[in-house]
Amino acid sequence: MALSLFTASAGNATALLEPTLHVKPQGAEGGGGRVALTLDACGGKTDTRILSALVDNRIPATIFVTGIWLKHNAEAVEIMRAHPDLFELENHGGRHIPAVDTPRKIYGIRSAGSPDAVQAEVESGAAALASAGGSAPKWFRGATAEYSPSAIAMIRKLGFKVAGFSINGDGGSLLGAKETTRRIAAAKDGDVIIAHINQPTHAAGEGVVQGLLALKQKGMTFVRLDDAEGVGNDGTTD
Ligand SMILES: [Zn+2]
């Protein structure tokens, strides 16, 4: 699952990586297991079904926000800031541009296309978070969660860990509620879930809520990336 993605294009394109991330399993310490919920806020609006469910059920989450999203979702940011015990805000880039330093398209989105543009995307995302108040981000997740190997090295050099995942919860927010529920509810000890909190009109959001409630019901503990020892592959955390 979630192996490196090799995009064949005339045989000369750099292989893109889709890194995985796991948190330290609870394992023998006992309990129902430990998972990290990461939610991307790429742009657009806020799915208040998810935000309210997290607050009401005291489920901690790491939210990857872009500069674009921060600008248009002040109310949601305020709610997150009001619950610092629940929400950790991290860097999803300034303009939601894939951190790939050669020109290409990923899921129809044009990549940054050069090392300078990758650096600008990472730094402008951090700057947007800084101007919105709160602590400096330590994790970066690029748009589409795919990277060129050299971009990963650069992001690490800029001082960020790169946030992969181990469970694709909502398929880019395009899955139905039932399938999203099934995927998230199937999370195991040590998994890192990715889903979206910026698509209030999509059915997937309802599935995110139901999946999380099922995990909570099973006694799963939710941790944020800052509170967990996350280990990723492809040089993303070491
Ligand atoms: Zn995104």
Side-chain angles (χ1 to χ4, degrees), residues 40 42 92 96 143-144 196:
D40 291 0
C42 311
H92 196 34
H96 205 249
T144 75
H196 290 77

Side-chain angles (χ1 to χ4, degrees), residues 38-45 62-70 88-99 107 109 117-130 136-147 155 160-165 170 172 194-199 225:
T38 68
L39 294 170
D40 291 0
C42 311
K45 299 204 165 88
T62 306
I63 316 290
F64 282 90
V65 300
T66 65
I68 308 165
W69 185 87
L70 279 174
E88 170 188 344
L89 271 59
E90 296 289 352
N91 185 358
H92 196 34
R95 297 194 292 145
H96 205 249
I97 297 170
Y107 301 121
I109 306 180
V118 170
Q119 184 169 346
E121 171 71 359
V122 176
E123 289 185 332
S124 61
L129 268 167
K138 299 182 191 75
W139 291 85
F140 177 82
R141 175 181 287 149
T144 75
E146 292 189 18
Y147 312 82
I155 296 160
F160 298 94
K161 292 182 178 179
V162 177
F165 57 90
D170 66 353
I194 185 177
H196 290 77
I197 192 167
N198 67 316
Q199 297 287 3
L225 294 187

Side-chain angles (χ1 to χ4, degrees), residues 114-230:
S114 72
D116 281 356
V118 170
Q119 184 169 346
E121 171 71 359
V122 176
E123 289 185 332
S124 61
L129 268 167
S131 54
S135 50
K138 299 182 191 75
W139 291 85
F140 177 82
R141 175 181 287 149
T144 75
E146 292 189 18
Y147 312 82
S148 46
S150 43
I152 289 176
M154 173 188 284
I155 296 160
R156 298 288 293 120
K157 234 178 177 171
L158 291 169
F160 298 94
K161 292 182 178 179
V162 177
F165 57 90
S166 63
I167 293 205
N168 187 340
D170 66 353
S173 90
L174 298 174
L175 292 175
K178 227 174 162 181
E179 174 63 7
T180 301
T181 302
R182 191 193 66 75
R183 288 188 179 196
I184 292 177
K188 299 278 185 293
D189 195 12
D191 269 326
V192 174
I193 301 164
I194 185 177
H196 290 77
I197 192 167
N198 67 316
Q199 297 287 3
T201 63
H202 290 197
E206 177 57 28
V208 171
V209 172
Q210 293 309 322
L212 294 174
L213 294 179
L215 287 177
K216 196 179 153 89
Q217 186 80 32
K218 278 195 261 184
M220 197 68 91
T221 302
F222 293 89
V223 293
R224 305 179 308 184
L225 294 187
D226 254 1
D227 306 323
E229 295 162 63

